[in-house]
Amino acid sequence: MFLGLISLLGTLSAGAVAQAEPVHGIAMHGQPALPADFKNFPYVNPNVKKGGKVAYGVVGTFDSLNPFILKSMRTTARGMLDPEYGNLVYDSLMQRSRDEAFSLYPLLAETVEWDEDRTFIQFNLNPKAKWADGQPVTPEDVIFTFELFRDKARAPFSTRLEMVAKLEKVGDRSVRFTFNDKADREFPLLIAMTPILPKHATDVSTFDQTSLKLPLGSGPYQVADVKPSERIVYKRNPDYWAKDLPTKVGFDNYDQISVEYFLQDNSLFEAFKKGEVDIYPEGSPTKWARSYNFPAVQSGAVIKDQFTPKTPSGMLGFVFNTRKPIFADAKLRQGLAMAFDFEWVNKNLFDNAYTRTQSFWQNSNLSYLDMPADDRELSLLGDIRNRINPKVLDGSYRLPVTDATGRDRNVLREAVTLLREAGYSIKDGKMLDAKGTALSFEIMTQNEGQEKLALAYQRFLAALGITVSVRTVDDSQYQLRTQSRDYDVIVKSFPSSLSPGIEQVGRWTSAARDRPDRDSFAGVADKDVDTLVNNILQARTVEDFTAAVRAHDRMLVSNFYLVPLYHISAQWVARHKHIGRPDTVPLYGYQLPAWWDESAQ
């Protein structure tokens, strides 16, 4: 068992615990960019007037307002705990700057204390912090939240206290986390970003059940109206305690935010064209080029914006479920990946708008591309280097470029060679294993765009005698089958940041393989991958961190857990003219919580 029981110790004398100097911000590596007296983040308009409203649109459904539990993991109303729209109801201890790789600044915590080895972190709460009902946010609320998450929540919230040796109240308004030897250097920052719940207004007995009960938070908005699977409306709290904090200046600008739900993207797009939805992020280059010729665009009532973030590409791909014996062999996975004709797809489906993705951190210095492994990285790799493609190790590896016919003989010949090394051969037009069993599998898709890609891949593989079925399922069935790992191949996106960390544990490590609440879609269970992920978490310097991420990138690319697809460097967003935005675009791209309603100006 982990060390001791979580304890609430009350007020301690100044000498009872190790002291550290309070600071205004913390960073994963190095120091925060902004000084202690900063007035606002550089990517907001600090003079914007609050008012008006915005309507967002999403495809999907919702049946719960609790984002912290497994039962509603993928069906929680958007906006409750939301990387795109913001955490509208719950505040966290600190707020992340989207203009730095990974730096945090005050929110519920006015200052923070930690040591160089990050053996503890102490949050000194802002005395002005309060819940929407006017009651103060206390250290008891923080302790209650983490204990409740331990007992009732889903991962990663449920596992936070596994790395904590002691959680204690210090003085009147401080709370300290002392870590055990399971904690890594990123963990204190994850603690700081955890939303805090009110002890006096949370029903512990029913917390793990889906619920549409209106929650009480300390955040900028309150839930005003709920129509399950149709609409959720948030009203801005005019008495929001943090509205003048530097980390909140320029944010939360609408009096009302509504999120409208649609069954299909076509219906959502039509609603946007009619003005029922105000903002439409576009992901299709073909649609961006061809479908925005409706009257509102021509008159200027709808504006098309293009942004260029300075972040890694991430990875989109057909993911092999390696829990299935058929996909256990890396040579087989590589052969299947080789058979995907990106050039044909890009030409015939996307007007050559995309770039082939070669690395999980492409377009950043964390990528292996054109970066031979140096002595620091080779030391981290150790004997693992023997499992990495030599061309990946020297940074020169690239996926093959075809003639865009869909049947490039040279590339297909290479794919067949790899499949032969995996024990397969073509007989009577069928790809068979040594026992005469035909190579066949299903690709599960969730929308028309994925289905179109899968059907193209199906044709490419048919040329090798491989039988592929494509099944498109509705959203609820897709979520159920994904969580229960009931699929052969699916299309998934793995976003990448400039500060990868704990999310890599959930995606790639052995510990996550059998957890339905983790994003282990490939089902990897490999001690060498575990080692490389741990190297990222334990890195102390920027140099060690960069080397650790590159080594991990090389391992993922060499093992072909998925078929790499494509990316585009731009972000496309269409908006109705009455929605305004800041001129400055931060490192991570546009930030919707900093936009506003022009009619209120």
Side-chain angles (χ1 to χ4, degrees), residues 139-153:
E140 286 82 1
D141 290 316
V142 178
I143 294 170
F144 166 80
T145 297
F146 281 88
E147 292 182 335
L148 176 63
F149 284 171
R150 175 197 59 196
D151 298 336
K152 297 273 190 173

Side-chain angles (χ1 to χ4, degrees), residues 22-329:
V23 294
H24 76 288
I26 56 177
M28 181 62 194
H29 299 101
Q31 298 297 320
L34 299 177
D37 61 350
F38 81 99
K39 304 302 182 185
N40 53 264
F41 286 135
Y43 52 91
V44 304
N45 176 1
N47 300 315
V48 67
K49 296 179 181 178
K50 300 185 185 301
K53 59 185 179 180
V54 67
Y56 297 126
V58 297
V59 175
T61 183
F62 78 94
D63 61 10
S64 178
L65 299 183
N66 186 344
F68 305 109
I69 61 173
L70 181 60
K71 288 185 178 180
S72 59
M73 180 178 177
R74 302 186 190 279
T75 56
T76 298
R78 292 290 303 274
M80 298 300 298
L81 192 67
D82 203 299
E84 188 174 8
Y85 303 150
N87 300 342
L88 303 181
V89 175
Y90 299 106
D91 280 335
S92 52
L93 291 162
M94 303 187 78
Q95 177 86 350
R96 186 170 185 173
S97 168
R98 306 307 294 184
D99 205 35
E100 301 174 50
F102 197 179
S103 293
L104 304 178
Y105 296 91
L107 191 49
L108 288 173
E110 186 175 35
T111 60
V112 63
E113 304 172 33
W114 63 355
D115 61 342
E116 185 177 349
D117 290 334
R118 303 187 186 181
T119 63
F120 76 92
I121 190 167
Q122 178 172 313
F123 301 98
N124 305 314
L125 299 182
N126 192 316
K128 297 179 181 178
K130 64 180 182 179
W131 303 103
D133 63 359
Q135 292 201 36
V137 179
T138 67
E140 286 82 1
D141 290 316
V142 178
I143 294 170
F144 166 80
T145 297
F146 281 88
E147 292 182 335
L148 176 63
F149 284 171
R150 175 197 59 196
D151 298 336
K152 297 273 190 173
R154 63 173 173 85
F157 305 106
S158 61
T159 61
R160 295 275 157 88
L161 287 184
E162 292 179 1
M163 301 183 189
V164 177
K166 185 163 59 174
L167 171 56
E168 56 191 326
K169 180 180 177 181
V170 181
D172 293 331
R173 58 183 182 89
S174 299
V175 60
R176 172 178 287 221
F177 296 77
T178 302
F179 305 122
N180 59 34
D181 58 6
K182 295 180 180 293
D184 54 67
R185 293 184 63 78
E186 184 189 40
F187 187 61
L189 286 82
L190 301 181
I191 292 287
M193 293 196 300
T194 303
I196 303 303
L197 278 57
K199 181 177 181 179
H200 68 282
T202 303
D203 187 343
V204 175
S205 65
T206 60
F207 183 77
D208 57 355
Q209 303 299 313
T210 56
S211 174
L212 292 173
K213 179 182 177 181
L214 302 188
L216 176 73
S218 63
Y221 288 86
Q222 296 173 279
V223 178
D225 186 42
V226 177
K227 293 183 179 178
S229 299
E230 295 182 19
R231 187 178 197 236
I232 181 168
V233 179
Y234 300 90
K235 293 284 189 181
R236 187 171 62 85
N237 179 3
D239 298 321
Y240 176 45
W241 73 273
K243 60 185 176 183
D244 296 321
L245 280 187
T247 50
K248 279 296 185 177
V249 169
F251 292 101
D252 314 317
N253 300 318
Y254 307 103
D255 283 346
Q256 176 182 298
I257 296 176
S258 65
V259 183
E260 311 289 339
Y261 282 76
F262 298 86
L263 294 178
Q264 297 178 334
D265 186 66
N266 287 340
S267 301
L268 169 55
F269 189 57
E270 289 302 314
F272 170 73
K273 289 163 66 174
K274 295 175 184 176
E276 297 169 5
V277 170
D278 294 317
I279 299 172
Y280 187 86
E282 181 57 75
S284 166
T286 303
K287 190 175 169 186
W288 186 249
R290 300 179 182 178
S291 299
Y292 288 79
N293 55 359
F294 51 92
V297 174
Q298 296 168 348
S299 69
V302 164
I303 299 171
K304 296 173 66 180
D305 285 325
Q306 178 170 312
F307 306 96
T308 305
K310 302 177 182 66
T311 52
S313 62
M315 179 65 78
L316 172 71
F318 288 103
V319 182
F320 301 117
N321 186 356
T322 64
R323 301 172 185 85
K324 301 293 181 82
I326 187 176
F327 297 123
D329 192 305

Side-chain angles (χ1 to χ4, degrees), residues 320-529:
F320 301 117
N321 186 356
T322 64
R323 301 172 185 85
K324 301 293 181 82
I326 187 176
F327 297 123
D329 192 305
K331 289 289 186 181
L332 174 111
R333 299 193 300 266
Q334 184 178 359
L336 293 175
M338 288 287 181
F340 183 80
D341 193 331
F342 165 74
E343 282 68 32
W344 186 96
V345 167
N346 202 29
K347 175 183 176 182
N348 291 280
L349 300 184
F350 303 123
D351 293 333
N352 289 317
Y354 283 117
T355 298
R356 187 76 189 266
T357 306
Q358 308 277 354
S359 158
F360 285 75
W361 283 272
Q362 197 160 328
N363 303 330
S364 80
N365 72 335
L366 300 178
S367 171
Y368 83 89
L369 294 172
D370 298 319
M371 297 298 298
D374 59 15
D375 290 342
R376 186 188 303 265
E377 190 179 340
L378 292 174
S379 177
L380 286 174
L381 284 166
D383 291 340
I384 299 173
R385 65 182 295 180
N386 299 323
R387 296 184 57 196
I388 293 178
N389 184 317
K391 290 187 176 181
V392 175
L393 201 63
D394 68 22
S396 66
Y397 179 78
R398 300 294 187 276
L399 291 160
V401 176
T402 72
D403 59 11
T405 63
R407 298 177 68 94
D408 187 309
R409 291 182 178 274
N410 292 329
V411 175
L412 291 179
R413 189 178 298 114
E414 186 177 355
V416 169
T417 298
L418 289 163
L419 292 169
R420 186 178 296 117
E421 292 177 11
Y424 287 84
S425 59
I426 299 177
K427 296 179 182 178
D428 300 325
K430 294 289 186 181
M431 186 68 70
L432 308 177
D433 66 11
K435 297 180 180 179
T437 304
L439 179 55
S440 64
F441 56 86
E442 177 188 271
I443 301 175
M444 183 175 71
T445 60
Q446 64 180 139
N447 55 49
E448 182 182 354
Q450 290 185 4
E451 181 180 312
K452 190 181 297 185
L453 270 178
L455 291 172
Y457 194 22
Q458 179 188 58
R459 292 195 297 273
F460 304 149
L461 291 174
L464 300 180
I466 301 170
T467 301
V468 173
S469 59
V470 178
R471 182 188 296 266
T472 300
V473 299
D474 62 32
D475 187 69
S476 60
Q477 187 178 357
Y478 185 86
Q479 302 301 345
L480 179 63
R481 288 186 59 182
T482 300
Q483 282 187 294
S484 62
R485 313 308 189 195
D486 180 21
Y487 55 85
D488 296 330
V489 177
I490 55 175
V491 181
K492 278 294 179 181
S493 174
F494 298 89
S496 295
S497 76
L498 292 169
S499 185
I502 195 65
E503 81 284 352
Q504 301 302 310
V505 174
R507 293 174 184 177
W508 304 112
T509 66
S510 304
R513 176 186 171 102
D514 298 321
R515 296 284 297 268
D517 52 357
R518 298 299 178 94
D519 291 339
S520 179
F521 301 118
V524 177
D526 187 314
K527 63 180 179 58
D528 290 339
V529 174

